[in-house]
Amino acid sequence: MTLPPTDSTARATPLVAAVFAVIGSLSTLVEAASLAFLFTFATVCGLAYRQRAGRRPITGLGASAATAATVALVVRLLRNDPLALALLVALVLLAVFARPAVLRRVRTESGD
C-alpha cells in the first residue's frame, strides 16, 4: 500500500528522476543520486565529528572519504555530463533559496 505524499519534495522526486532520465542515461541518473547521497553523508559525518558524536576517528574518516568521493564525482560529471551536473546544481539552488521563500509566503497568507 502506497501512502499519498504529504510533502512537495515527495511529489517532486519522480519528476526530477524523469527529467534526469530524459536528459541522460541511467548511469547519469545513478551518478546524480549518488552525488546527493555522498554530499548528505559527508555533511552528517562532518557534523558528527564536530559535535563529538560517535567515535571521532570513524566520523572523521567518513567525512573525509565522502568529501573526496563527492569531489571526484563532481569532476567526473563535469567532464562527462555537464548538463546533468548543471541541472542538479539548479535543483539545489531552488531548494535552498526558492522553497523557503515560497514557504514564508504560504505561512503569511494562511496566517492572515
Side-chain angles (χ1 to χ4, degrees):
M1 179 176 168
T2 304
L3 297 174
T6 57
D7 184 27
S8 61
T9 306
R11 287 189 295 257
T13 301
L15 178 63
V16 171
V19 169
F20 272 111
V22 168
I23 66 165
S25 63
L26 180 60
S27 64
T28 301
L29 176 63
V30 170
E31 287 174 349
S34 296
L35 183 59
F37 170 77
L38 283 170
F39 179 79
T40 303
F41 188 76
T43 302
V44 169
C45 284
L47 289 171
Y49 181 82
R50 186 173 178 188
Q51 305 243 334
R52 300 181 190 275
R55 297 188 177 147
R56 286 196 67 149
I58 294 173
T59 57
L61 180 63
S64 299
T67 300
T70 299
V71 169
L73 188 52
V74 166
V75 169
R76 177 180 164 77
L77 280 172
L78 193 58
R79 289 182 181 163
N80 296 337
D81 202 350
L83 180 60
L85 184 61
L87 181 61
L88 192 59
V89 168
L91 289 172
V92 168
L93 291 174
L94 277 171
V96 169
F97 296 109
R99 188 167 188 253
V102 169
L103 289 176
R104 274 193 305 272
R105 182 180 171 122
V106 168
R107 283 191 204 123
T108 301
E109 288 177 0
S110 64
D112 291 339

